[in-house]
Each structure stands twice: as C-alpha cells, then as structure tokens.
C-alpha cells in the first residue's frame, strides 16, 4: 500500500497538470521540450554527416521549434477559453441552447475553419441571448402560468448577459484551436485504410462488409448528416446518381465524385473514390464524415411509398403520397434489367419491413390502450358496487380489498391526453384558462372540472376530474 501511495503522490502532478481549465501545462511543457530537443539534436546529427545535412537539420529543427511553440501555446489558450466558455454558458440554465452549441462544435482543421466556427458560435450566442428575453417568459407562462413567467423572465435576462459572453469566449477558443491545428496540419497522419464498420442496427459484431460500410458512410454524410440517425439498408449506383435505402426512407443522391464520367455498371465506391471521399471524425465518438458534398435530389419516406412497379425493360416506377394526400408518380431509369430487378426487390423488402415494424408498434399501442380501458372499467365498476352497500370496502378480483387496494394508482404522464379543450365543459384552453389532467382517466380538463383530489398509494393528493371523483373511494373534495 505504501508503494502505491508514494507513486500516486509522485504522479499526481500529471493529473493536475492535464486539466483543461489550467491550459494543460503538462502538454505545454512536453511540446516545448520536443521543439527544443529537435532544435539542438537534428543539426548535431547532420553536422557529422555533411554541411548539407547540417543545413537540413538546422531547418528542420527550427521548424519543429516554431511549430511546437506556436501549437503548444495556442493549445493551452484554446483549452482555457473553451473551459471558460462552457462554464459561463452553463450559467444560462438553457439545456436547448447547450445542445445546439454541442451540435455546432467540431474541431477546426485550420485557422480559417476556426474563425468561421467561432463567428457562428458568437452570432448564435448574441441571437439566442436577445431572443431569450422575449421567448423565455412566454414559454414559462405557457408551462407554469404567472410563476413560470417570472422564472422565464429571469432566465431570459441571465441568458442575455451570459450567452454573448460565452459566444465571445467560443470565438476565441475556436480561433486559437484553428491556429494550433494549422501548425500541425502538415504533419504526416495515419489515414484509415478502410471505411469504418457498419452495424446496421443489430448491435452485433459481424464480418466486415465493405459495401455496407460504404453505404452507411454515404447515409451518415448525406445532406450534412441530417439523416445520420437512420439505419442503412442498401445502395446502388445508377449512372451519375446513387439510390440509397434506409430503414425509414429512399433517397436519390449525388456526390461530386459521381459527376465525373463513369461507366454505367461501375460501383459507386471504388478504392480511389473511397480514399478521396471518406475520412474519420472523432469528437464525441467514432463518426463517419463525407468530405465531398453529398446532397439528396429526392427523398421518399417508406410510409408514403406504395405501388412499386417494375416496367420492362429497366424502369422502376412508384407512387408517393404528399403532405396534402395527393399521389405523385416517380420513375427511375436503370442501366439494365438486372439492376432494375435488384432495386425492385431491395426497395420492396425495405417497404415491407417498415410496414411490418409499424404494424407491430400499432398493435402494441392498441393492446396497451385496451388494457388501460379495461382497468379503468374495472376500477369504475368496483367502487360503484361497493357504494351501494353499507360497508366502505370494495371487492377486488373476488376478494375483500384492503385499504391499499382502494387507493389510486396515478396514470403515467406519457398517456395523458393533449386536447385543446376541456373534455367535460368543452371550453378551449388559453394562457389564462389552463389545461390540467385527471390522474385517473388522463383526460384534459380545466381547473373547475377537476376540483377534486384523490389519495394516491404514495400518500399524495392528486388531481382527478369530477366524474372520476364520484367513482373513487377515499376522495377529498377541494
């Protein structure tokens, strides 16, 4: 034990010295020592060979000293300003704003990207800070009435002062990070030899599939990563475009690599194109990034896709429902009959899989609703039967119920109705005429129609509507 304590004390400086709020001084001195070592060591190695080697060593050593000095200095500044920015912006107590900030954040490759990213973050901080003065009180009033309005006003005023300052610190952090990476951008880097593996939603480690990995990378990078939450199913090159199928939609997309002349039967991702278009980005985890601009020319959700038909010799035709309920016919000319048949089979399988999964989800929700209605009917009939007798107890499942059985089990919040009017008096809800929920039936009611309380099993008094109050024992009228 003594040995571990001594070693822990000796190595504790590494933990403290690596803190971002302190600028990672351990990394700073490590980089500076590397630059100084190269500045003296490389020329000394060259002087024993030849004057030319000495000159080359002097140049390399000087470059290493400047690179590590600039990189280490701005790395420390970037870490300090980033820590301050995160701490200051957390004072705004705005989870949505912090989530937007996390989504905007990425590691700039050079000073140009750092300035652009920092400018966006600063503009976002100023805009959200000013908008919060108006939006936060309104949101608070809708959720919590007068008290919520006061809380929202306080959050808006705090955010108006905190968010622009945090955005300015983010500008400094991104700019310094860009300068740091500019100093190291010409170093040799280990590039990936293959595209990252695609798991396809199974969460099972299978043998590496280059085609699936390529298609998943295309889906993750499509439209700037807008559809990265979907699961890849199939893709195929169709001339200068690519048909991409996920578990949610069908896409016709185009890449800059596909704009080049290419044979009709050539795959979308040969080795050269794969090396050109794919890279890795690891910030919060391993993610795939497409370097080229990949945009979807057309997107059709599988839920709106029907009447998939193969028109000889090589045309694939389908109908797509629009938002207004109309149908639009779409045709895709394939290079040959075999490709058209393959696409017909794959797209049809995706549509059927989506329909089957949707049917299972609908059936599950229907069974839950039926069970809830049956429980509500049983609980409504049981107290009414007991109220006709002189005894205050009720029968539950053929036995004399205990006092605990007669207490209310509140309905889960996610099962509450979200209607625009009261279920009993039919008055519309407004900012002053607020919506409430009965904890027994889950209906939307106003304060007048929910003027009763029932004792829950945890001992709390919960709100119930006046209809459910008549069917409940142990109710408390307020």
């Amino acid at each position: 034990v003594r040995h571990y304590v001594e070693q822990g004390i000796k190595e504790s400086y590494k933990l403290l010295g690596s803190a971002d709020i302190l600028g990672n001084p351990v990394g700073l001195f490590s980089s500076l020592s590397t630059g100084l070592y190269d500045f003296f060591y490389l020329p000394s190695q060259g002087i024993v060979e030849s004057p030319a080697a000495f000159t080359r060593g002097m140049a390399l050593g000087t470059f290493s000293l400047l690179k590590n000095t600039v990189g280490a200095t701005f790395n420390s500044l970037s870490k300090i300003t980033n820590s301050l920015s995160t701490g200051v912006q957390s004072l705004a107590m705005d989870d949505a704003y912090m989530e937007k900030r996390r989504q905007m954040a990425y590691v700039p490759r050079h000073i140009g990207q750092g300035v652009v990213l920092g400018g966006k973050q600063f503009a976002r901080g100023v805009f959200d800070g000013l908008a919060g003065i108006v939006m936060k009180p309104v949101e608070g009033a809708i959720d919590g009435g007068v008290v919520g309005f006061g809380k929202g006003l306080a959050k808006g005023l705090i955010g108006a002062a905190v968010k622009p300052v945090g955005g300015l610190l983010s500008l400094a952090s991104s700019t310094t990070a860009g300068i740091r990476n500019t100093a190291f951008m010409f170093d040799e880097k280990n590039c990936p030899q293959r595209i990252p593996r695609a798991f396809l939603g199974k969460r099972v480690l299978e043998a590496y599939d280059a085609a699936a990995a390529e298609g998943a990378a295309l889906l993750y990078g499509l439209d700037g990563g807008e559809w990265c939450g979907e699961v890849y199913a199939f893709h195929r090159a169709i001339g200068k475009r690519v048909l991409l199928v996920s578990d949610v939609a069908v896409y016709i997309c185009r890449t800059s690599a596909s704009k080049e002349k290419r044979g009709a039967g050539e795959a979308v991702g040969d080795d050269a194109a794969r090396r050109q278009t794919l890279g890795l980005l690891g910030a919060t985890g391993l993610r795939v990034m497409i370097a080229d601009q990949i945009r979807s020319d057309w997107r059709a959700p599988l839920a709106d896709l029907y009447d998939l038909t193969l028109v000889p010799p090589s045309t694939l035709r389908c109908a797509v429902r629009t938002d207004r309920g109309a149908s639009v016919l779409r045709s895709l000319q394939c290079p040959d009959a075999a490709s058209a048949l393959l696409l017909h089979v794959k797209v049809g399988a995706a549509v059927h899989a989506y329909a089957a999964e949707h049917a299972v989800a609908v059936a599950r929700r229907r069974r839950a609703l039926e069970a809830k209605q049956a429980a509500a009917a049983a609980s409504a009939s049981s107290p009414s039967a007991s109220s006709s007798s002189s005894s205050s107890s009720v029968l539950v499942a053929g036995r004399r119920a205990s006092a605990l059985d007669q207490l209310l089990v509140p309905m889960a919040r996610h099962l509450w109705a979200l209607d625009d009017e009261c279920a009993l008096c039919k008055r519309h809800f407004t900012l002053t005429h607020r919506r409430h929920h009965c904890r027994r039936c889950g209906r939307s009611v106003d304060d007048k129609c929910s003027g009763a309380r029932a004792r829950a099993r945890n001992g709390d008094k919960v709100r119930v509507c006046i209809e459910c109050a008549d069917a409940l024992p142990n109710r408390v009228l307020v």
Side-chain angles (χ1 to χ4, degrees):
V1 177
R2 179 181 178 184
H3 169 74
Y4 291 107
V5 172
E6 292 179 353
Q7 292 299 317
I9 295 175
K10 290 180 180 180
E11 300 296 328
S12 60
Y13 76 95
K14 294 183 179 180
L15 296 177
L16 298 176
S18 300
D20 288 349
I21 189 62
L22 301 178
N24 190 10
V26 172
L28 173 65
F29 289 114
S30 177
S31 297
L32 291 177
S33 62
T34 300
L36 289 172
Y37 176 82
D38 292 341
F39 180 73
F40 290 103
Y41 177 76
L42 295 179
S44 64
Q45 290 293 312
I47 198 172
V48 299
E49 297 181 7
S50 63
F54 172 75
T55 304
R56 185 171 60 254
M58 179 62 72
L60 292 176
T62 304
F63 177 76
S64 177
L65 177 61
L66 292 176
K67 178 187 68 176
N68 284 281
T69 302
V70 173
T73 303
F74 283 97
N75 178 60
S76 296
L77 293 175
S78 175
K79 290 183 178 297
I80 293 174
T81 52
N82 184 60
S83 299
L84 292 176
S85 173
T86 303
V88 169
Q89 296 190 24
S90 63
L91 297 177
M93 298 177 292
D94 191 344
D95 296 336
Y97 173 72
M98 294 299 293
E99 181 63 25
K100 291 179 182 178
R101 183 175 179 271
R102 283 191 291 268
Q103 292 176 358
M104 290 178 61
Y106 63 89
V107 180
R109 298 177 58 189
H110 49 76
I111 186 174
Q113 288 187 354
V115 172
V116 172
L117 174 61
K120 290 181 179 179
Q121 292 175 333
F122 177 66
R124 170 63 66 179
V126 173
F127 176 78
D128 285 355
L130 297 178
I133 299 177
V134 178
M135 297 304 298
K136 290 300 179 182
V138 174
E139 294 174 359
I142 294 175
D143 295 336
V146 178
V147 177
F149 177 83
K151 293 180 179 179
L153 182 60
K155 288 184 178 180
L157 294 177
I158 294 175
V162 168
K163 292 177 181 178
V165 176
L168 185 61
L169 291 173
S170 297
L171 172 61
S173 175
S174 300
T175 304
T176 52
I179 297 175
R180 173 200 62 194
N181 294 335
T182 302
F184 295 101
M185 68 182 301
F186 297 106
D187 291 350
E188 294 183 359
K189 296 180 176 62
N190 294 324
C191 298
Q193 299 299 316
R194 70 180 189 183
I195 307 172
R197 184 190 306 271
F199 287 91
L200 308 180
K202 300 178 182 179
R203 297 183 180 179
V204 176
L205 186 62
E206 299 178 343
Y208 181 79
D209 187 347
E214 178 184 284
L218 290 173
L219 179 61
Y220 295 157
L222 185 63
D223 293 335
E226 184 176 357
W227 318 109
C228 61
E230 301 177 6
V231 179
Y232 162 80
F234 174 76
H235 79 288
R236 181 78 173 183
I238 308 297
K240 296 182 178 181
R241 298 181 295 176
V242 180
L243 184 139
L244 182 62
V245 183
S246 71
D247 63 332
V248 177
V250 178
Y251 302 88
I252 300 294
C253 56
R254 184 188 302 272
T255 67
S256 60
S258 66
K259 297 177 183 178
E260 302 173 0
K261 292 184 179 180
R262 177 182 301 169
E266 185 177 349
V268 66
D270 54 6
D271 293 338
R274 191 176 294 126
R275 288 193 299 269
Q276 177 185 359
T277 57
L278 297 177
L280 290 179
L281 176 66
T284 58
L286 186 63
R287 294 179 56 195
V288 180
M289 176 184 75
I290 306 297
D292 290 333
Q293 295 295 325
I294 298 181
R295 293 289 179 259
S296 57
D297 295 340
W298 175 70
R299 180 181 187 271
L302 295 178
D304 299 332
L305 196 67
Y306 67 99
D307 196 15
L308 185 64
T309 307
L310 180 60
V311 180
S314 58
T315 302
L316 193 64
R317 182 178 298 169
C318 65
V320 182
R321 279 186 291 267
T322 62
D323 296 337
R324 298 180 179 180
S327 298
V328 178
L329 292 178
R330 295 284 184 177
S331 298
L332 180 63
Q333 185 64 38
C334 302
D336 50 44
S339 299
L341 179 60
L342 178 63
L343 294 180
H344 183 264
V345 172
K346 292 293 185 180
V347 176
V351 173
H352 288 305
Y354 178 85
E357 182 178 358
H358 182 68
V360 170
V362 171
R364 187 183 298 115
R365 288 196 297 267
R366 184 183 296 111
R367 288 194 297 269
L369 180 60
E370 292 175 352
K372 182 185 71 173
Q373 293 175 348
S379 61
S381 60
S382 180
S384 63
S386 64
S387 61
S388 61
S389 63
S390 59
S391 177
S392 60
S393 62
V394 295
L395 290 175
V396 176
R399 61 180 175 83
R400 186 66 62 182
S402 63
L404 182 62
D405 292 324
Q406 301 181 37
L407 299 180
L408 175 67
V409 179
M411 180 181 293
R413 183 181 295 269
H414 68 276
L415 297 177
W416 290 353
L418 297 177
D419 298 328
D420 295 331
E421 62 180 16
C422 177
L424 300 181
C425 66
K426 304 302 181 182
R427 287 185 60 191
H428 285 275
F429 298 120
T430 61
L431 185 62
T432 57
H433 186 235
R434 297 182 57 205
R435 179 199 296 127
H436 300 280
H437 291 91
C438 175
R439 270 48 171 184
R440 182 172 181 266
C441 64
R443 292 183 295 180
S444 298
V445 289
D446 58 9
D447 185 69
K448 181 180 179 181
C449 296
S450 58
R453 301 294 184 267
R455 185 79 65 181
R457 290 199 174 187
N458 60 1
D460 296 338
K461 295 179 181 179
V462 296
R463 181 186 298 269
V464 293
C465 65
I466 56 179
E467 289 187 356
C468 292
D470 295 335
L472 284 174
N474 300 316
R475 65 180 183 272
V476 181
L477 294 178
V478 295

